[in-house]
């Protein structure tokens, strides 16, 4: 799950009352307060009517939630490695997430990006990633790596904008 927002702190919940593990929060280093954070839960209880929500604990603006669900054909899934960037401001039409290398073959990688204030839409991401969610200011993507290799996805969007923050994580 990727949660992106502006400023403040929040809690992620769902209708099944799962307890999610939060990965490193990535925050716009230029002072804009834009944030993205990946969360996960191994073997969740799911249903076709499942809902997700964020509750602000202080001053949260514009929260978004992107959800992906994956099943492993054998063995127990587990978190492997993460990387991310805290944007430095300026105007860019692409930005690269720092490299992360999965420890083994057949891992799933997820990535999220939140952009600045001019409301661009993510248009793509490379390194084998597939853009799964794209709307104003935010996006989420995934990759299935059959052979472990370093990944450092480059996100691109519809217009130059202030880069805010991005993250990627791999799961065994």
């Amino acid at each position: 799950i990727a949660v992106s927002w502006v400023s403040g702190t929040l809690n992620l919940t769902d209708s099944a009352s799962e307890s999610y593990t939060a990965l490193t929060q990535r925050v716009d280093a230029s002072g804009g307060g834009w944030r993205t954070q990946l969360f996960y839960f191994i073997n969740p209880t799911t249903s076709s009517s499942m809902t997700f929500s964020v509750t602000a604990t202080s001053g949260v603006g514009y929260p978004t939630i992107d959800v992906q669900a994956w099943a492993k054909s054998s063995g127990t899934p587990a978190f492997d490695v993460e990387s991310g960037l805290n944007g430095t401001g300026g105007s860019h039409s692409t930005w690269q997430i720092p490299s992360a290398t999965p420890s083994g073959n057949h891992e799933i990688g997820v990535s999220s990006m939140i952009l600045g204030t001019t409301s661009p839409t993510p248009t793509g991401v490379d390194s084998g990633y597939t853009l799964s969610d794209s709307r104003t200011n935010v996006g989420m993507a995934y990759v299935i790596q059959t052979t472990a290799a370093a990944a450092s996805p480059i996100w691109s969007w519809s217009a130059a904008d202030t880069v805010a923050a991005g993250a990627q994580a791999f799961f065994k």
Side-chain angles (χ1 to χ4, degrees):
I1 296 176
V3 179
S4 301
W5 71 99
V6 180
S7 299
T9 57
L10 53 77
N11 292 319
L12 171 66
T13 57
D14 68 27
S15 56
S17 301
E18 308 286 15
S19 295
Y20 291 88
T21 300
L23 297 180
T24 304
Q25 184 182 126
R26 308 299 174 167
V27 182
D28 175 18
S30 67
W34 300 85
R35 302 158 192 270
T36 192
Q37 188 168 19
L38 295 172
F39 295 80
Y40 70 92
F41 187 86
I42 304 296
N43 297 323
T45 301
T46 60
S47 72
S48 60
S49 61
M50 189 169 198
T51 60
F52 300 87
S53 61
V54 292
T55 305
T57 56
S58 69
V60 171
Y62 311 107
T64 65
I65 302 171
D66 292 301
V67 177
Q68 294 179 354
W70 298 91
K72 187 170 181 175
S73 60
S74 65
T76 302
F79 168 73
D80 186 8
V81 64
E82 70 171 315
S83 69
L85 67 88
N86 297 321
T88 58
S91 184
H92 305 275
S93 58
T94 64
W95 200 271
Q96 189 167 22
I97 305 259
S99 182
T101 303
S103 64
N105 297 334
H106 306 289
E107 293 202 16
I108 294 173
V110 295
S111 182
S112 67
M113 178 68 77
I114 183 169
L115 309 173
T117 59
T118 63
S119 301
T121 301
T123 57
V125 60
D126 74 353
S127 296
Y129 275 85
T130 298
L131 187 61
S132 59
D133 300 293
S134 176
R135 62 190 173 287
T136 303
N137 294 83
V138 297
M140 189 173 188
Y142 70 91
V143 65
I144 300 172
Q145 278 201 347
T146 55
T147 302
S152 188
I154 298 174
W155 282 80
S156 57
W157 43 92
S158 58
D161 194 17
T162 304
V163 173
Q168 77 171 330
F170 281 90
F171 297 86
K172 302 177 185 182

